[in-house]
Every structure is written in C-alpha cells, then in structure tokens.
Amino acid sequence: MLQVSMAKDAKLIELEKKSMVPLLLSYSLPAIVGMVAMSIYNIVGAIYVGQWCGTAAVKAMALVFPVLNLMVAVGTLVGLGCAASASIALGQGKRKRALNILGHCLVLSFASSVLVGWLPLPWIGDIMLAFGANENTLAPCCDYMLVLMLWFPFNSVFLGLNHLMRASGYPRKAMVSLIISMVVNVIVAPVFIYCLGWGIAGAGIATAVAQTVGLVWVLMHFCRNDVVLHFKRGIYAINWPLTRRICTIGMPPCLLNIVACVIVLLFNYSFLRFDGDAGVGAFGTVNRVIFFFLMVVAGITQGMQPIAGYNLGLGKYCRVRMVLMYAMVFATIVTVVGTVMMQLFPREIAELFVKEVRDDGTIDTNATYIINLAGYGLTIVSIMFPFVGSQIVISNFFQAIGRPVMSIFLTLTRQLIFLLPCLLVLPWLYGESGVWYAQVMADALAVIMGFAVISVFLTRVFPRKSFCIKPDSLS
C-alpha cells in the first residue's frame, strides 16, 4: 500500500521539483499531440469530404462548424473545469476532493451533453436552416449532424476524462488515447465515406467509432486502483458547491466556444451576402487551418494548466510565473510558423480541402473560386497571427490559477468585444475584404489588452518580490 502511495506521489512531485522547460515540454508535447489529433478529426474529415463528396458537402461542413463549437463548449465547461479544479486540489493535498471531482466529471459530462445533444434532435433541420443552410446544403448538414449529436454524450465523457487524466499526472496516456482515436478515424473514414458510399454521414460515423475506441481506453485507465485518481464507490453524488466551482472555472473556455459559434455565424452571413455559398466554403477552409494551429497552442496551455495550478496550491509562485513565460514563448513560435506557412502557401493549403479537377478531367469553376477566396483569406487573417498565441496563453493562465472572471474578460475581448464591432463596420467600408480585415483588427486590439492586463496583474496583484522567492524556501 505504501508503494502505491509513493507511486502516486511521484507523478505530482515532478510538478514542483522538475526544471521548468523539460517539465512544460513533458506536459505540453503530449497535449499538443493530443490536440493535433483532435484537429485531424476536422481536417482529415474535411479533406476526405472535399475530395469525394463535392463542393456542396464542403459548404455543409462549414455550416456545421458553429454547431460543433456549441457542443465543444459544453464539453469544455465540465472537462477543463474539472481538470483545473483537480490540479489545484492535488497541489493542496486534498486527494478526497480530487476524487470527488473525478466523479463529477463523469456524471456532469454525460448529463449535460444529453441535454445539448439529444433534446434538439427533432428540430435539427430548423437549426441548420437558421445557421445558413439552403436547399442545396440542408440534407448533407442534417446527415452529418445527426450522427454527431447522437454520439455526443459519449464523446463528451471521453474528452472530459482525458483532460482529467492529463491534470492528474498522466499526460502521455492522455496523448495516447487521442492518438489511438485519431488513427482509427483516419483509417475507417475512407471506408465509410468512399468504399461504402455513405458520403458525409460516413465521416460522422467514422468519428463516432474512433471516439468509442478512445473512450474505452480512458475508462480502462480510471478503473485501475494504482493511479492517482480512479473510480470508486461514493464519488458520484453531486455536490452543488463543487459543481458551481467546476462550472465557474470551466466557463472561460466554454464562453470562448459559444462566442466562436456566434462569430462564425456572423462571418457566414457576411460571406453569404458577398459570395453566397462559395464564401461560406472558403471561410470554413480558412477556419480549419487556423483551428489546427490554435489546437497546438491549446496543447501548450493544457500543459501549462496542471503545472500552474499545482504550484499555486503549494504557494510556489516563482514557478507559476516561469511556466507562464515559457508557455508564451512556445505559443509564439507555433503561431509564427503558422503565419509563414499561410503567407507562403495559401493556395496550396486551400487545394487540400477542395477538389478543383473533376474525375473527367474538367475544371470545377465553383471549386476554383472557393480555393482563390480561401487563399486570399489565409494571407489576410495571418497578419496578426504571430501574437495571438501569447494572448491565448494569458487568457488560459488566469483560468489555470482559479481566476475565471479575468479569463472570461480576456476571452470575450478577442472574440466578441473587439471582433463584433469590426465585423459590423469594416465590411461596410471595404466590402468583402473588410470581413477578413475584421479578424486582423480584433486580434491586434486583443493582444494589446492581454499584455496590458498580465503586466498589471504580475506587478500589482502578485508583486514581483513574491514571485521571486526561491522554491526551496517554500518547501
């Protein structure tokens, strides 16, 4: 029994003792791989659909994207809220509270996603019409969404427990679960979409099958008694103060996805006005490319979260500051690489998602227009992209240290407070180009705000003196 306890503690001791750069890399790299695996769900599915299902299906996947954001919002509310809460509890030595958080993660993830995924099923057609679908795109939209909504509760449990696995000291296992799921999706998607002829619905079924395999892997981990957090009797009763705390901490990423849904809808309506369905398809392509690099940044922030939360619980503020700084540096490197790729190869990237040459050798002019428009959009929206990574890290840092109000504020500045006015004004001044310029202007303002807030926070709320105490003196 003593050996088991020591094995458990060993996973947590490295959070307070290990050198910061290797520690952050050891937590971030698995998270990055996991988040990239998640984004490959989107990207590979979109590529398969674009190559085998035609431009109508490409437009349908773009229209479905905001609905997926709403579903992700529910998952992050519980999953990331539980992960941050568990990290702080473990840092404070409150193992029983951390076990209760595991029980809440399982129950709340399933219950909340049933409400969001299953209750709206009778109105799925009306929902897609409200999101911009028309007679050409309604059927593929409904086919794809039906599968994902039916399987959403199980996907939510899978991702929620995966966040908690990482937060409790098992980042590599959390990475493996997502890689397994991604590999299964990449393998079975062509079978369902092309070989069986199920089209865009096959893409949804492939995702559901892959998530089932990942869910089994995660459940097997938490059924073991020799891991830090594991399933046991008595941890599943809902405690409302704890639930409120979890939801409060998880609210920033939840709001980020809800706001992203609203913003994508506004973008879709703007492009429908200027370019019709082709504009929506082009924006969907740009969105997926941006999403890929932001998932890498999200992996960095997820690696930062347990380190910051655990050391905050211990009172080792110097390490909290260090992990923030290194995370910002790594995130900036990622977004700079993304900017270079989008500036140098915009059209080549867009061609991955849209098939320009038909099977008979002729050119699809509609596809060509989507590719050109998406390539132009990539070169515009990537102008401020090098600085976006740091802004996202700063926002998530406040969530990791249990200050959700500040995190919510920074989240809303980038996605709503700055972007919404720009999206209403700039298209009126510059036409179609103004829709792309709106994102650039909002990013610039949000970056300035993020750096201003973190500077004030580090110098006034936590004076530099308190951050520079040697960790050993706090042990």
Side-chain angles (χ1 to χ4, degrees):
M1 188 70 179
L2 179 60
Q3 291 179 344
V4 172
S5 177
M6 289 176 64
K8 293 178 182 179
D9 292 339
K11 288 291 183 181
L12 302 176
I13 289 174
E14 68 174 13
L15 289 171
E16 59 176 297
K17 299 292 185 182
K18 192 173 181 178
S19 297
M20 186 54 65
V21 172
L23 178 62
L24 181 57
L25 288 175
S26 69
Y27 271 75
S28 292
L29 288 177
I32 289 170
V33 173
M35 297 306 291
V36 169
M38 286 182 60
S39 69
I40 287 177
Y41 275 125
N42 258 314
I43 291 175
V44 170
I47 291 174
Y48 287 155
V49 168
Q51 297 299 318
W52 293 327
C53 301
T55 56
V58 172
K59 299 167 187 175
M61 292 198 77
L63 291 168
V64 163
F65 201 79
V67 183
L68 297 180
N69 278 335
L70 283 178
M71 296 168 68
V72 170
V74 176
T76 55
L77 176 69
V78 176
L80 291 180
C82 287
S85 300
S87 293
I88 295 173
L90 290 170
Q92 295 171 335
K94 299 178 179 179
R95 189 66 59 86
K96 183 177 180 181
R97 180 180 176 86
L99 284 169
N100 287 334
I101 291 171
L102 169 62
H104 280 64
C105 184
L106 183 65
V107 174
L108 294 175
S109 293
F110 189 84
S112 60
S113 53
V114 164
L115 293 176
V116 174
W118 290 358
L119 287 185
L121 283 174
W123 302 279
I124 187 171
D126 296 329
I127 293 171
M128 294 317 306
L129 287 172
F131 276 58
N134 55 31
E135 64 276 4
N136 296 321
T137 56
L138 180 60
C141 282
C142 291
D143 290 344
Y144 188 58
M145 282 307 305
L146 178 62
V147 177
L148 296 186
M149 292 175 74
L150 284 172
W151 202 248
F152 177 51
F154 306 99
N155 175 43
S156 185
V157 171
F158 165 45
L159 295 180
L161 291 178
N162 197 73
H163 289 309
L164 206 53
M165 182 189 294
R166 181 182 303 107
S168 59
Y170 298 89
R172 290 184 181 86
K173 293 189 73 172
M175 172 191 71
V176 170
S177 66
L178 292 172
I179 291 177
I180 291 173
S181 184
M182 178 269 293
V183 171
V184 172
N185 186 57
V186 171
I187 293 173
V188 302
V191 177
F192 294 153
I193 297 172
Y194 183 73
C195 298
L196 297 179
W198 292 349
I200 194 171
I205 295 171
T207 299
V209 170
Q211 290 167 350
T212 302
V213 176
L215 176 61
V216 171
W217 170 271
V218 172
L219 290 175
M220 288 173 59
H221 166 82
F222 284 104
C223 286
R224 296 175 52 186
N225 291 330
D226 61 340
V227 297
V228 175
L229 299 180
H230 56 272
F231 296 134
K232 60 184 297 185
R233 187 176 301 174
I235 66 172
Y236 307 103
I238 296 299
N239 177 286
W240 293 113
L242 180 56
T243 300
R244 185 167 56 250
R245 177 64 175 168
I246 291 170
C247 291
T248 300
I249 293 178
M251 188 59 67
C254 175
L255 281 179
L256 176 63
N257 284 283
I258 292 175
V259 171
C261 169
V262 174
I263 293 302
V264 170
L265 277 176
L266 292 175
F267 270 109
N268 283 345
Y269 282 127
S270 297
F271 281 113
L272 281 170
R273 185 176 55 158
F274 289 109
D275 298 290
D277 289 342
V280 173
F283 176 68
T285 298
V286 172
N287 224 10
R288 292 180 192 282
V289 176
I290 295 291
F291 182 75
F292 175 81
F293 291 102
L294 292 185
M295 285 296 97
V296 179
V297 175
I300 294 171
T301 64
Q302 288 186 16
M304 171 189 69
Q305 179 264 318
I307 301 171
Y310 187 83
N311 282 282
L312 179 73
L314 288 176
K316 296 195 172 185
Y317 304 119
C318 189
R319 291 177 65 80
V320 177
R321 185 186 185 114
M322 287 170 60
V323 73
L324 169 65
M325 298 306 173
Y326 284 120
M328 290 173 63
V329 171
F330 293 158
T332 300
I333 293 172
V334 170
T335 50
V336 167
V337 171
T339 299
V340 171
M341 293 181 64
M342 287 184 277
Q343 289 290 332
L344 294 180
F345 311 106
R347 199 177 195 281
E348 290 80 1
I349 293 173
E351 286 175 343
L352 293 174
F353 297 88
V354 184
K355 187 177 181 180
E356 186 177 14
V357 181
R358 298 189 182 96
D359 293 335
D360 59 6
T362 60
I363 300 296
D364 186 339
T365 56
N366 189 29
T368 301
Y369 185 69
I370 294 175
I371 291 171
N372 290 336
L373 186 58
Y376 174 73
L378 285 170
T379 60
I380 297 300
V381 300
S382 60
I383 292 173
M384 280 300 301
F385 198 58
F387 308 100
V388 169
S390 291
Q391 195 274 342
I392 294 174
V393 167
I394 292 169
S395 176
N396 282 269
F397 171 75
F398 285 108
Q399 179 205 355
I401 63 172
R403 291 178 175 262
V405 175
M406 189 62 69
S407 183
I408 291 170
F409 169 72
L410 291 177
T411 296
L412 292 181
T413 56
R414 178 171 180 260
Q415 291 283 28
L416 187 64
I417 297 174
F418 293 144
L419 183 54
L420 183 57
C422 292
L423 196 53
L424 294 175
V425 174
L426 294 182
W428 179 71
L429 295 174
Y430 301 104
E432 173 193 300
S433 297
V435 184
W436 300 114
Y437 295 155
Q439 182 69 64
V440 178
M441 181 62 71
D443 285 343
L445 295 173
V447 166
I448 294 171
M449 177 64 73
F451 277 97
V453 168
I454 196 65
S455 297
V456 172
F457 178 81
L458 294 182
T459 55
R460 295 187 180 180
V461 180
F462 283 116
R464 186 174 182 83
K465 181 179 178 181
S466 70
F467 271 93
C468 294
I469 300 174
K470 293 182 179 180
D472 292 341
S473 67
L474 293 169
S475 300

